[in-house]
Amino acid sequence: MNYKKKTIRDVDLKGKKVLMRCDFNVPTNDEGVITDDSRIRKTLPTIQAVLDQGAAVILCSHKGRPKNGYEEKFSLKVVQARLQELLGVPVDLASDIIGPEAQEKAKALQPGQVLLLENVRFLKGETKNDMDIARAYADLAEVFVNDAFGSCHRAHSSTVGVASYLPAYSGLLVKKELDVMGKALSDPNRPLVLIMGGSKVSDKIGVIDHMLTLADDIIIGGGMSYTFTAAKGGKIGTSLCENESFEYCRELLKKAEEKGVRIHLPVDAVCGDHFAADAEPVVYADGEIPDNMMGMDIGPKTAEAYAEVIRNAGTVIWNGPMGVFEFPAFAEGTKAVAKAMAESEAVTIIGGGDSAAAVEQFGYADKMTHVSTGGGASLEFFAGEELPGVAALLDA
Ligand code: ADP
Ligand code: MG
């Protein structure tokens, strides 16, 4: 995939109307209050830079997965209010997205002013990349900017279609994502270490296969590791296991050996007798988990071994927690890996929604080179797939 794209720095936006696709898909609680505004904050530098160039800005985003048009809980009104505070300028909202109100407001918009369109997914055809909708977005502006990395793996009207009708540039956040992760794949500081975890092997096959051609070391942890243990004939009790992936695991170990990629598997596991926060944590050697116990974290010996690999790395890409980090008694392995990455001199990249949440929760996010804003998008990136939202942007 070509990830060298033209950015807002490569175009004169003075006096132009700029339609910008953002990721304002922020979490809100039952009262509709935003519980984490970091997605809004991360795109502020792009919005500010476009405004500073003397452009008028029309922002758009999805929020959640509305299925039947307008629904209050998916409205961007809360985003409008938060944006206003953060930008320090009024932000107008066009409730009909591409209707007469939006057209009028966009037409009247002056340099330095900001208009926000309502949730693009209130439009039925948006997620089908409907080209009439794309055309209507394009009619509101003269230039398109994409700063929604988390939506770049989706071919929708507001990420791909619209780029057929307007010159399309990357925002600063998308540029950073592509620069850091692109270099990690194409020209990494070595050794390049991939850490894979999370619940299922089958979720991550694309990434593992692709990284097998690039990485020096692959560390396996989390729920997926028990499938490897079982595939090798070890006892895993009631741990997560995908029997249908046994063949894949064995093949992978063989291929890695042929390619000279070092695969690191757990040597011990922290187990509990039921899946809950109050389960008593007990450590067993890998492959020796009793029938009634479930592996919920990597053990202390494994954590130390993994930390050592991380200390010697040039680049570390991490996707998927080492255990059920949501339960404090089973969070130590994930924490140890996060800490080793935070302390390492290596280029450190976190991809994956839950891994990013874990790093955030442990307070290490600032110590990483890059925490990707795109869970699914970063996975597809590391699987070597072309992201349609990126492909649609002008090449540098
Ligand atoms: P990411 O979002 O970073 O890609 P995943 O979605 O693949 O990560 O996996 C995250 C989930 O995996 C977490 O909710 C975590 O609790 C779960 N998990 C990790 N290890 C285990 C385990 N041993 N048993 C059950 N669930 C696990
Ligand atoms: Mg996840």
Side-chain angles (χ1 to χ4, degrees):
M1 183 175 91
N2 179 14
Y3 57 87
K4 303 231 189 266
K5 294 292 172 173
K6 283 202 170 148
T7 81
I8 55 162
R9 303 281 190 223
D10 301 316
V11 56
D12 182 8
L13 297 173
K14 192 170 160 54
K16 294 265 166 61
K17 287 200 173 93
V18 175
L19 175 73
M20 192 163 143
R21 176 61 158 93
C22 299
D23 180 2
F24 294 147
N25 185 25
V26 288
T28 41
N29 65 18
D30 292 343
E31 281 85 53
V33 177
I34 296 174
T35 51
D36 177 2
D37 65 0
S38 47
R39 284 188 169 150
I40 301 178
R41 288 176 183 276
K42 287 193 171 172
T43 203
L44 287 177
T46 307
I47 301 173
Q48 199 57 61
V50 171
L51 288 170
D52 289 348
Q53 280 205 46
V57 180
I58 302 164
L59 303 169
C60 68
S61 172
H62 78 285
K63 180 177 179 323
R65 298 182 174 199
K67 286 276 171 309
N68 301 300
Y70 185 86
E71 255 182 278
E72 186 71 26
K73 69 171 173 183
F74 296 121
S75 168
L76 291 186
K77 278 178 207 155
V78 286
V79 171
Q80 175 194 20
R82 194 79 194 93
L83 258 177
Q84 226 156 229
E85 283 169 29
L86 293 169
L87 281 172
V89 297
V91 175
D92 199 3
L93 183 72
S95 57
D96 61 1
I97 315 162
I98 47 173
E101 182 194 341
Q103 290 165 21
E104 232 161 82
K105 286 183 170 174
K107 203 168 164 201
L109 208 65
Q110 297 299 313
Q113 294 184 332
V114 182
L115 174 66
L116 173 66
L117 308 182
E118 248 308 357
N119 192 339
V120 291
R121 289 198 190 162
F122 289 160
L123 299 170
K124 273 274 168 60
E126 156 70 17
T127 58
K128 298 192 178 69
N129 196 20
D130 180 296
M131 291 311 272
D132 292 331
I133 293 176
R135 174 93 245 180
Y137 291 138
D139 285 343
L140 301 174
E142 295 150 284
V143 174
F144 175 66
V145 172
N146 191 344
D147 212 27
F149 185 73
S151 298
C152 280
H153 59 315
R154 306 270 184 236
H156 293 173
S157 304
S158 68
T159 58
V160 170
V162 63
S164 318
Y165 300 113
L166 292 177
Y169 298 86
S170 82
L172 302 177
L173 176 60
V174 165
K175 176 181 163 50
K176 187 185 175 219
E177 298 268 7
L178 297 176
D179 281 353
V180 179
M181 300 202 294
K183 182 168 190 309
L185 296 192
S186 63
D187 178 29
N189 297 349
R190 290 195 179 269
L192 169 58
V193 177
L194 172 73
I195 308 174
M196 292 305 289
S199 40
K200 287 167 146 186
V201 182
S202 52
D203 283 350
K204 310 279 167 93
I205 284 176
V207 179
I208 299 177
D209 277 349
H210 185 61
M211 294 305 291
L212 204 55
T213 64
L214 303 174
D216 301 295
D217 295 88
I218 298 181
I219 288 175
I220 309 253
M224 71 158 67
S225 68
Y226 306 105
T227 299
F228 281 87
T229 303
K232 292 193 301 176
K235 286 176 60 191
I236 59 165
T238 59
S239 309
L240 278 181
C241 185
E242 295 169 278
N243 297 23
E244 65 283 5
S245 295
F246 283 177
E247 200 44 49
Y248 174 82
C249 292
R250 290 188 204 112
E251 280 285 310
L252 172 78
L253 297 176
K254 216 169 78 198
K255 268 194 251 168
E257 197 173 319
E258 284 161 17
K259 288 185 191 297
V261 177
R262 294 176 291 265
I263 303 271
H264 306 267
L265 289 163
V267 293
D268 55 359
V270 185
C271 305
D273 64 356
H274 62 298
F275 188 82
D278 66 356
E280 182 75 33
V282 189
V283 177
Y284 294 98
D286 178 67
E288 294 174 22
I289 299 175
D291 289 348
N292 64 325
M293 297 294 273
M294 173 190 286
M296 296 209 274
D297 193 8
I298 53 172
K301 286 192 185 128
T302 307
E304 181 41 41
Y306 288 1
E308 183 63 19
V309 177
I310 293 166
R311 280 194 279 273
N312 295 318
T315 305
V316 186
I317 297 172
W318 183 19
N319 173 267
M322 296 291 99
V324 188
F325 72 97
E326 296 92 337
F327 302 157
F330 302 95
E332 290 305 316
T334 302
K335 206 185 275 178
V337 162
K339 181 164 182 282
M341 284 180 72
E343 290 170 358
S344 147
E345 298 287 309
V347 172
T348 48
I349 299 171
I350 316 293
D354 292 290
S355 319
V359 165
E360 203 69 66
Q361 182 185 313
F362 302 142
Y364 291 125
D366 298 346
K367 301 250 157 50
M368 304 297 172
T369 307
H370 186 63
V371 181
S372 178
T373 54
S378 62
L379 266 192
E380 291 195 15
F381 193 91
F382 291 130
E385 287 167 38
E386 179 171 271
L387 308 183
V390 173
L393 304 174
L394 293 168
D395 291 330

